[in-house]
Amino acid sequence: MKKSETTELVIRRTEFRGSAGIDIREYVTSEKYTGWSKNGIRIPVNQWRSFKEILDRIEVPEGGEGD
């Protein structure tokens, strides 16, 4: 998902220190830096269902483009 001209929001399954998780993180492409940003969150795989249930409770207005 594109956030700006230089930043995308990427969601992917990762392994870190032997633990599986879902990373929701920014990927930056610019003249100064190209790579993963520290901006984001990592949800352990065993907590993904609970996290998704929280997201499913969020009401989004018709059209989905709000403030």
Side-chain angles (χ1 to χ4, degrees):
M1 174 183 330
K2 198 140 180 95
K3 253 183 99 174
S4 70
E5 288 296 315
T6 60
T7 306
E8 290 181 72
L9 188 62
V10 178
I11 302 171
R12 63 189 184 137
R13 186 179 191 278
T14 61
E15 294 275 334
F16 183 71
R17 297 184 180 170
S19 175
I22 307 297
D23 262 353
I24 303 173
R25 194 152 310 279
E26 292 180 348
Y27 189 85
V28 178
T29 306
S30 68
E31 289 182 23
K32 292 181 181 181
Y33 175 75
T34 296
W36 297 104
S37 164
K38 290 185 178 184
N39 294 334
I41 187 171
R42 183 174 188 282
I43 297 99
V45 166
N46 63 353
Q47 294 181 16
W48 178 252
R49 258 184 233 271
S50 297
F51 180 74
K52 189 175 177 311
E53 287 172 6
I54 292 166
L55 293 179
D56 288 342
R57 290 195 303 254
I58 298 171
E59 293 195 28
V60 179
E62 190 69 30
E65 299 293 328
D67 290 322

